[in-house]
Amino acid sequence: MNSARREVRLSRAGKVFVAFTLAIGFAAVNTGNNILFLLVSLMLAIMILSGMAAMVNLWHIELHMPAGQLLSAHQPAALQIELRNERSWGAWLLELQMGSARARWPYLRAGDTVRISLPWTAQERGQPPLPELLLGSSFPFAFVWRGRYRAIPRADWPWVAPAPGRWEALAQADNAEGARLDPGAGGQGDLLYLRPREEREPLQRVLWRRSVWQDPTSGLGPYLPVVERERDGDEELWILDWDALALAALNREERLQVLRAGLDLAVAQGRPWSLRLPGFAMNGRGSLGQLRALEALARQRPWPEYPPAERRQGVSRWSRSAAWWRGTRAS
């Protein structure tokens, strides 16, 4: 068995069962009682069948990560993972582990899919690597636990927005370019232009006469335009500018953290805001457009240097002996 991809361990009940089997085997050898020999053979067969059943129970159980997950750095979050049973019979006593986090599911029917949440705290912005997932089972007797490591493709990793920083670095700069509050769009005045509908924006604002319904199979979806008007005279637009003079002394990550803090404050107060990043600019109001802005902050390159992903892997004595033998032959 390749120990780099699988993991096998005995439960507490399994250790007691093994000790009891050894004790009966010792008594059978000393007494020569055939009934004890049959009992030992039966117990050994139960151990072998338990390990084989746990291995078969994991066949064709696929792991998928739903797209569109957006997290925040240094903030505990629930990572959504889907278990899909692609065979014609059910699976029992499934357990999913990622580092110290674990989740259990008692029964997964044939062809069914279930979504499980695992707590995970991302330490870096961007798309940091996920630890390998360990999918295991102790079915049917809970004596032997067998697991197999599963890697999530990089394309399915969630995006991680920067953690909020010191908003005072931008808010307390008097008359600094990009740090001031300027008039902008988003109110109920004269018509300015049409823009695509943002997430969580009311459907009443959609201009249905200009909607474009595309082929659903193309993946593009419908285009729903929204009328953008001038704001009222008593409102202020929060400018969140990457090139603000107040941010000139900060590095890349510190700038993104300050812009994230300003965005959170504008969302909490329901103010109109304008986020201006290298190669990206958008306007929003309150929580309208917040998810798209957070994803833009997360996608800013270059990304920080990521530490290696964690991986819980036990090294057996056989693996250490094989490594020592290869080293002696090479020397």
Side-chain angles (χ1 to χ4, degrees), residues 73 123-129 154 160 252-253 256-257 297-307:
Q123 301 299 327
E124 300 292 343
R125 175 193 64 86
Q127 206 172 24
R154 183 181 179 86
V160 179
R252 179 183 67 255
E253 297 303 321
L256 293 175
Q257 292 174 4
L297 293 174
R299 288 177 176 266
Q300 285 298 308
R301 293 189 178 185
W303 298 327
E305 294 292 335
Y306 298 133

Side-chain angles (χ1 to χ4, degrees), residues 74-95:
H74 306 291
Q75 295 182 6
L79 199 62
Q80 303 294 323
I81 300 172
E82 290 183 350
L83 296 180
R84 183 181 303 169
N85 187 1
E86 298 183 349
R87 61 195 188 190
S88 57
W89 67 91
W92 293 267
L93 301 179
L94 298 177
E95 183 176 353

Side-chain angles (χ1 to χ4, degrees), residues 73-306:
H74 306 291
Q75 295 182 6
L79 199 62
Q80 303 294 323
I81 300 172
E82 290 183 350
L83 296 180
R84 183 181 303 169
N85 187 1
E86 298 183 349
R87 61 195 188 190
S88 57
W89 67 91
W92 293 267
L93 301 179
L94 298 177
E95 183 176 353
L96 188 62
Q97 299 181 12
M98 186 177 66
S100 60
R102 63 182 58 193
R104 296 179 177 89
W105 196 258
Y107 177 68
L108 185 60
R109 294 181 299 178
D112 201 358
T113 301
V114 65
R115 181 169 296 188
I116 295 179
S117 299
L118 286 177
W120 184 58
T121 302
Q123 301 299 327
E124 300 292 343
R125 175 193 64 86
Q127 206 172 24
L130 286 176
E132 284 191 324
L133 299 174
L134 182 60
L135 178 63
S137 174
S138 58
F139 175 80
F141 304 117
F143 291 159
V144 181
W145 192 94
R146 298 182 68 111
R148 183 178 180 183
Y149 286 97
R150 308 288 183 91
I152 300 296
R154 183 181 179 86
D156 296 335
W157 291 354
W159 289 101
V160 179
R166 297 179 297 105
W167 165 246
E168 294 81 6
L170 187 62
Q172 294 180 357
D174 295 335
N175 298 326
E177 181 182 358
R180 62 184 183 272
L181 302 178
D182 288 343
Q188 303 297 325
D190 295 336
L191 175 64
L192 293 179
Y193 50 84
L194 297 180
R195 58 172 176 81
R197 174 180 175 267
E198 301 289 347
E199 297 182 9
R200 296 187 292 181
E201 192 170 6
L203 294 176
Q204 292 80 359
R205 302 190 61 184
V206 175
L207 186 60
W208 296 103
R209 297 191 305 273
R210 299 293 183 87
S211 300
V212 178
W213 301 94
Q214 300 176 358
D215 184 8
T217 60
S218 64
L220 299 178
Y223 171 74
L224 305 179
V226 174
V227 175
E228 186 74 7
R229 300 179 181 275
E230 288 184 348
R231 65 166 188 86
D232 299 331
D234 56 348
E235 285 189 310
E236 293 176 318
L237 176 69
W238 288 41
I239 303 296
L240 308 175
D241 194 353
W242 170 272
D243 296 323
L245 296 179
L247 306 181
L250 304 180
N251 58 29
R252 179 183 67 255
E253 297 303 321
E254 292 175 344
R255 288 192 185 190
L256 293 175
Q257 292 174 4
V258 171
L259 296 178
R260 166 66 190 277
L263 178 64
D264 290 348
L265 189 58
V267 170
Q269 298 182 5
R271 293 177 176 269
W273 47 268
S274 177
L275 179 62
R276 302 173 183 178
L277 298 174
F280 178 85
M282 69 168 296
N283 297 334
R285 174 189 295 272
S287 60
L288 298 180
Q290 179 189 13
L291 297 180
R292 185 182 174 194
L294 291 177
E295 185 175 351
L297 293 174
R299 288 177 176 266
Q300 285 298 308
R301 293 189 178 185
W303 298 327
E305 294 292 335
Y306 298 133

